[in-house]
Amino acid sequence: MTARETPEPGTPAGARRPGFATALFLGRPETDPLTGPAGDPRRLQPAEERFLARLRDFCEKEVDSAAIERADRIPDEVVEGLKDLGALAIRLPRRYGGLGLSTHCYLRALMLTSTTHPALSELLAAHQAIGLVQPLLLFGTDEQKRAFLPRCVREISAFALTEADIGNDPFRMHTTAVYDPASDSYVLDGVKTWTTNGVVADLLVVMAVVPAGESGDGGMTAFVVEADAPGVTVERRNSFLGLRGLENGCVRLHRVVVPAGHRIGAEGEGLAIALAAQDTGRLSLPAVSAAAAKWSVRIARQWSAARVQFGRPLARHDAVAGKVSFIAATAFALEALVEVIARRAAAGDTDTRLDAELAKLFASEQAWVIADELVQLRGGRGYETAESAVARGERGVPVEQLLRDVRVGRIFDGSSEALRAFLAHDLIEAHRAAARGRDTGPWQGTADAGESPGAEETVGTADSVAAGEAVDPAAVGKVPRPAAAGEAAGTGIPAGPDASAGRHDAGLDDHLEFVARTSRRIAGELAAVAADSGPEGEGLDGRQRFLGRIVDVGAELYAMSASCVYARALGGADGSPAELADAFCRQARLRVAESLARLGENTDAADRAVTGHVLDGRYTWLEEGVVDVSVDGPWIAAQRPGPATGPSLRRVIRPAGTAKTARPSSDETTRRTP
């Protein structure tokens, strides 16, 4: 079981079959990659269920989430309790001291901890998804695994990549690692600005640029660095809009000596290592988003039934009913995404990179809308803190905290705008490869050689949408064709042996048909862009929003497909899963229609012109009559390498009763010697 969950090293992407997202954007959606084994898709192995039960019990009885929010810190005893449960090593193979449980179980654990308090899930995810565990499992040597992975059972790790001048562009990195052949070591210098877990980490994965030299071309490289090594200083603990309790800090590295044996992979492979770790790491945010949505359903149900206005419960008013329906249907879709992708990622035979990126994009965007709608549904109480409500004698429901906490999902781990651009670039390259009829690894077999899929199938109402005409959203992209035996009509997607009238989920066939024909529509749009743009992407800068809409449509189609597959897997005598899937798909189809319509009729060109005038100062008169309370300083601070100028704020987690000797406690500081 563990060998499949955490392969060593990971199966190369080119050797795995394409994920659902790949085929979707090439106009060939097949639900096979979304289908799991027979039986209840929610059921886990007994050992996993027992672990989750212990974790739930711990969260409910031992964690005071309100105290974490007030203190902006997770107590040491809570962190130690998570360690005792094995929560820092859920997927780590047993031979290294971990629990050896599945990706599926890991994501369920994040859902439990994030709804207890999101700082807990961030601590666990930053350690296991992008911290030391995943990079070493995928790229570490046997010696490195034996040396470091057992430590990850109780020691916390962090991934130090971001710098003040780096957003989604890691090639602006300034941290350097200079090789010293005399000592067979590297000397690291630089400043990492936002390092999650950096304040409490025992081990760091540091990304640094090795200058080209006699040893090779150099490039971005990953290193294992001891957090208490001479020259490592936590300069400050950062504070944010939400995620109170997050141990995120600025880490300075000054002449930090790292043995060559602590380099992960070869010189120049750092970016590939980071991206590979993110492949499964990106599923963390969809899981957390799904958990937030599921909690929102609970609060929306209880509150809108208890609150009476004008003689009726709140939810019985039509304007409110739409919000409750949206929250419930979207929560089901987000759970479906997490469940189907987690099982496929755990199998290890499918390239789920694009699937995970789409899921992250869709889930983080929808979680924000859900949180905003829940605040609106709660009214003034939604804007009030839970602590204030308790002081007034009412139930403390941290809805405003939810809004603050989920907002970061649209930024963390690749902003939504960056993900749309990255996905569009990969998809255009896929269409170019398909047009050339070349073997391209993970794209192989998703389109016929020499064909630009979907271009010839974009007819009827799809053409009307491209022209910006008003259309029936339910008919967008409709392409009539006879159904083959065993298919849901017009989809090319197997309907299953029990697809028949009278079933609770029979109506889902129409939604899968919509997915198939709209998939061909967006494939045609991408093929046209691929043919018109230059080989290096010339001409695409001015079409980012156009391509972003196509990506958003694909994300909706993915969520629709996952919802239908998941609803059928759940079954249910009362048909409730199919009802939620149908509701979500109907809502998604309206959003798809709007995005497709805006492909042909939009304000993109005019917006670029206005933006140019804003930057040129043409509208500075509009800024008059207000007070700017910003604190003066540079927009981007210059992070110059050099020795630390103050004490280290590193916090060391200790079991209760441990003597405070070798290292500083949470309230102590120590000055590093340069």
Side-chain angles (χ1 to χ4, degrees):
M1 173 180 170
T2 57
R4 294 187 65 184
E5 300 300 337
T6 48
E8 297 186 27
T11 307
R16 292 179 281 169
R17 68 176 180 173
F20 180 76
T22 302
L24 178 70
F25 283 101
L26 285 170
R28 302 288 187 268
E30 296 288 347
T31 55
D32 282 352
L34 304 182
T35 304
D40 187 347
R42 296 167 298 179
R43 184 174 300 164
L44 300 178
Q45 296 295 326
E48 296 175 329
E49 296 286 6
R50 289 192 296 271
F51 165 73
L52 292 175
R54 292 194 300 271
L55 180 61
R56 173 185 285 277
D57 187 66
F58 175 80
C59 288
E60 290 178 343
K61 296 178 180 178
E62 303 298 331
V63 181
D64 185 342
S65 57
I68 294 175
E69 192 69 9
R70 286 193 302 270
D72 191 17
R73 177 164 294 184
I74 305 172
D76 285 10
E77 57 269 23
V78 171
V79 179
E80 284 298 310
L82 292 171
K83 293 178 181 179
D84 293 341
L85 288 169
L88 266 65
I90 298 172
R91 293 185 300 164
L92 186 65
R94 293 179 183 176
R95 60 182 169 278
Y96 301 119
L99 299 182
L101 303 178
S102 68
T103 298
H104 207 167
C105 178
Y106 163 72
L107 296 177
R108 293 275 187 89
L110 293 186
M111 295 174 77
L112 282 174
T113 52
S114 68
T115 46
T116 304
H117 194 282
L120 301 179
S121 59
E122 288 295 329
L123 174 77
L124 299 181
H127 169 66
Q128 295 177 81
I130 59 173
L132 187 58
V133 176
Q134 192 70 3
L136 278 190
L137 284 175
L138 294 175
F139 297 95
T141 65
D142 290 340
E143 183 179 359
Q144 288 173 336
K145 292 173 185 177
R146 289 193 299 269
F148 293 112
L149 288 179
R151 293 176 57 183
C152 292
V153 175
R154 298 196 67 89
E155 295 186 55
I156 300 170
S157 66
F159 185 73
L161 166 66
T162 309
E163 299 177 10
D165 204 25
I166 293 178
N168 294 290
D169 182 6
F171 294 101
R172 299 175 68 89
M173 184 175 296
H174 298 294
T175 299
T176 59
V178 179
Y179 179 65
D180 177 17
S183 60
D184 192 27
S185 62
Y186 292 82
V187 179
L188 275 59
D189 282 279
V191 180
K192 298 298 183 179
T193 308
W194 295 289
T195 303
T196 299
N197 284 359
V199 179
V200 295
D202 301 287
L203 295 162
L204 303 169
V205 179
V206 177
M207 305 296 291
V209 176
V210 177
E214 296 181 0
S215 60
D217 295 333
M220 194 182 306
T221 307
F223 299 90
V224 182
V225 178
E226 299 279 358
D228 61 355
V232 178
T233 305
V234 178
E235 291 197 318
R236 63 165 285 106
R237 183 176 185 266
N238 300 316
S239 299
F240 301 98
L241 171 70
L243 295 182
R244 292 180 62 80
L246 184 71
E247 297 291 355
N248 181 292
C250 295
V251 180
R252 177 174 294 275
L253 302 117
H254 175 60
R255 298 179 182 175
V256 179
V257 178
V258 179
H262 289 195
R263 186 190 68 218
I264 305 175
E267 291 183 1
E269 291 185 347
L271 184 58
I273 291 170
L275 292 175
Q278 283 183 329
D279 193 357
T280 53
R282 277 211 167 100
L283 292 177
S284 300
L285 264 172
V288 169
S289 298
K294 287 161 69 69
W295 180 79
S296 297
V297 175
R298 178 184 180 89
I299 300 304
R301 173 179 60 82
Q302 295 179 343
W303 166 249
S304 60
R307 177 65 162 167
V308 175
Q309 292 283 274
F310 305 106
R312 286 183 292 171
L314 198 61
R316 298 299 179 185
H317 293 273
D318 188 60
V320 177
K323 298 182 185 301
V324 176
S325 174
F326 165 75
I327 292 172
T330 308
F332 178 81
L334 296 187
E335 177 172 289
L337 274 176
V338 173
E339 294 290 330
V340 300
I341 300 178
R343 289 199 182 275
R344 183 51 56 196
D349 60 352
T350 303
D351 181 8
T352 57
R353 181 176 61 87
L354 293 186
D355 300 58
E357 289 180 351
L358 267 187
K360 187 272 179 188
L361 172 65
F362 183 80
S364 59
E365 289 287 332
Q366 294 303 315
W368 166 250
V369 180
I370 287 173
D372 184 59
E373 291 285 43
L374 187 62
V375 168
Q376 190 70 17
L377 197 155
R378 284 275 289 163
R381 290 174 172 85
Y383 197 69
E384 185 181 23
T385 66
E387 192 172 38
S388 174
V390 170
R392 289 192 299 100
E394 290 189 355
R395 178 178 300 188
V397 185
V399 173
E400 60 83 26
Q401 179 190 334
L402 176 73
L403 191 73
R404 290 185 287 106
D405 290 337
V406 301
R407 183 59 181 85
V408 76
R410 300 175 62 204
I411 301 170
F412 265 13
D413 201 14
S415 69
S416 294
E417 292 74 18
L419 278 180
R420 290 186 182 103
F422 295 156
L423 280 162
H425 175 272
D426 287 349
L427 296 169
I428 287 172
E429 289 303 311
H431 277 275
R432 286 179 178 148
R436 293 191 300 266
R438 288 173 50 185
D439 175 357
T440 57
W443 305 105
Q444 184 181 10
T446 57
D448 295 333
E451 180 183 358
S452 295
E456 76 285 1
E457 299 177 349
T458 307
V459 296
T461 56
D463 291 335
S464 300
V465 172
E469 300 173 11
V471 297
D472 175 6
V476 171
K478 187 171 184 178
V479 184
R481 75 170 179 85
E487 292 180 359
T491 66
I493 299 178
D498 59 344
S500 61
R503 288 189 359 258
H504 290 300
D505 63 359
L508 302 183
D509 288 346
D510 179 63
H511 296 310
L512 291 176
E513 179 184 359
F514 175 87
V515 168
R517 63 178 183 258
T518 310
S519 167
R520 295 192 290 272
R521 164 70 198 280
I522 61 175
E525 296 284 0
L526 287 169
V529 174
D532 292 343
S533 59
E536 300 299 325
E538 295 90 342
L540 295 183
D541 282 349
R543 308 196 74 181
Q544 286 183 350
R545 281 195 288 172
F546 177 89
L547 293 170
R549 293 179 191 113
I550 294 176
V551 171
D552 284 342
V553 169
E556 295 278 5
L557 299 181
Y558 198 134
M560 290 175 65
S561 303
S563 297
C564 291
V565 169
Y566 186 54
R568 285 181 167 164
L570 288 174
D574 63 351
S576 58
E579 290 171 2
L580 288 170
D582 178 67
F584 172 77
C585 288
R586 289 175 183 273
Q587 295 167 10
R589 287 169 75 154
L590 293 175
R591 295 191 293 266
V592 166
E594 180 180 358
S595 294
L596 289 176
R598 290 180 65 194
L599 293 180
E601 185 175 358
N602 54 64
T603 62
D604 294 357
D607 292 342
R608 288 193 295 272
V610 170
T611 299
H613 292 325
V614 170
L615 296 179
D616 293 340
R618 181 178 177 85
Y619 307 135
T620 53
W621 52 267
L622 186 61
E623 303 168 11
E624 297 173 0
V626 298
V627 176
D628 183 0
V629 297
S630 304
V631 179
D632 192 30
W635 285 103
I636 300 173
Q639 300 287 355
R640 298 182 178 85
T645 58
S648 177
L649 303 180
R650 179 170 176 253
R651 170 188 168 202
V652 178
I653 307 295
R654 286 193 186 82
T658 301
K660 301 177 181 180
T661 53
R663 293 176 178 174
S665 72
S666 58
D667 297 320
E668 297 170 341
T669 58
T670 181
R671 186 177 299 277
R672 297 287 183 188
T673 303

